[in-house]
Amino acid sequence: DVKVTQSSRYLVKRTGEKVFLECVQDMDHENMFWYRQDPGLGLRLIYFSYDVKMKEKGDIPEGYSVSREKKERFSLILESASTNQTSMYLCASSNVQQPQHFGDGTRLSIL
Amino acid sequence: QKEVEQNSGPLSVPEGAIASLNCTYSDRGSQSFFWYRQYSGKSPELIMSIYSNGDKEDGRFTAQLNKASQYVSLLIRDSQPSDSATYLCAVHPSGGYQKVTFGTGTKLQVIP
């Protein structure tokens, strides 16, 4: 079975902090993704990566950055956390034209 | 026009009935289609993939794809209360071979 592991299930941070969300997959997938999910807005793509050190902006990249130094690990960084970044964050991985597999999600609260 | 459209529901069906969930998409060149189930507070879980026209069955689930009409549907036979969840349709658009586009989901309620 595909395993996508997100480092935290729940996280509480303060406004202005730099926040790191980590994601690791164990299936040697080429692609990795970061989404946020908010009630009524569905899944929104923040960034994705199709190879080590390669990244592309998704639909809502503002206020976020990413890092992919190793194939299995994809990090999402909130440069200066704001209250409007309170959300459920979901990491996913896949191979080309194959379905994405999701981690359990991180519920992030910014106070 | 949204790229992937689903009725948000809720769709309510009695236990034991067939639940029919529908999804339309705008990119005629789309090649891969997926259905995910998401329980409240949980992450999406893949339940079906379909790549060619017609029906694909897996247990109580049947995915149906009609590329000419640009829709994909999910049938759940003998619906159970445990099927109550939000069902997300996902489509690989042409040219976007890495990304998928997700619908906003249909909430299904199975009434005991």
Side-chain angles (χ1 to χ4, degrees):
Chain A
D1 274 356
V2 176
K3 186 68 175 175
V4 179
T5 302
Q6 294 185 231
S7 52
S8 306
R9 286 286 283 130
Y10 301 94
L11 205 54
V12 180
K13 295 292 183 181
R14 296 215 172 268
T15 304
E17 281 192 68
K18 192 169 186 176
V19 180
F20 294 85
L21 303 182
E22 307 286 344
C23 176
V24 177
Q25 51 96 2
D26 67 356
M27 285 302 293
D28 202 36
H29 283 165
E30 303 295 326
N31 303 321
M32 296 189 74
F33 306 83
W34 276 107
Y35 295 90
R36 63 178 285 178
Q37 188 174 36
D38 302 287
L41 296 178
L43 283 166
R44 292 184 291 169
L45 181 65
I46 304 171
Y47 268 98
F48 73 99
S49 168
Y50 53 90
D51 201 352
V52 175
K53 296 189 186 295
M54 305 304 288
K55 61 186 179 184
E56 283 198 24
K57 294 180 180 179
D59 301 318
I60 51 163
E62 296 78 18
Y64 303 94
S65 62
V66 291
S67 172
R68 193 169 180 199
E69 297 295 319
K70 293 184 178 181
K71 190 175 185 179
E72 68 270 19
R73 186 179 297 271
F74 193 35
S75 302
L76 179 70
I77 303 153
L78 285 65
E79 298 291 344
S80 177
S82 64
T83 55
N84 63 12
Q85 293 178 309
T86 291
S87 186
M88 169 72 97
Y89 288 87
L90 291 160
C91 175
S93 72
S94 77
N95 279 329
V96 175
Q97 287 283 358
Q98 295 300 307
Q100 295 180 17
H101 298 269
F102 287 85
D104 288 339
T106 296
R107 191 166 292 280
L108 175 65
S109 295
I110 307 296
L111 304 179
Chain B
Q1 182 189 6
K2 291 182 182 177
E3 295 177 38
V4 177
E5 292 207 46
Q6 296 181 255
N7 189 320
S8 61
L11 172 66
S12 294
V13 300
E15 184 174 354
I18 296 175
S20 178
L21 305 162
N22 298 312
C23 171
T24 58
Y25 59 94
S26 59
D27 186 338
R28 185 171 289 277
S30 298
Q31 296 293 322
S32 307
F33 307 85
F34 311 107
W35 282 100
Y36 289 83
R37 177 177 62 201
Q38 187 174 23
Y39 293 114
S40 181
K42 303 293 186 181
S43 63
E45 172 193 11
L46 178 72
I47 53 172
M48 290 289 285
S49 304
I50 187 165
Y51 301 93
S52 55
N53 277 330
D55 295 359
K56 179 182 178 182
E57 188 174 317
D58 183 1
R60 295 186 297 111
F61 298 99
T62 299
Q64 299 176 318
L65 175 60
N66 184 323
K67 289 187 178 180
S69 300
Q70 295 175 239
Y71 81 80
V72 56
S73 61
L74 180 71
L75 301 178
I76 306 175
R77 290 182 301 281
D78 188 25
S79 296
Q80 301 297 309
S82 59
D83 295 325
S84 298
T86 297
Y87 289 80
L88 304 175
C89 172
V91 177
H92 261 300
S94 57
Y97 62 93
Q98 293 137 349
K99 296 191 296 182
V100 296
T101 302
F102 285 87
T104 53
T106 298
K107 186 172 184 177
L108 173 67
Q109 295 177 339
V110 180
I111 311 300

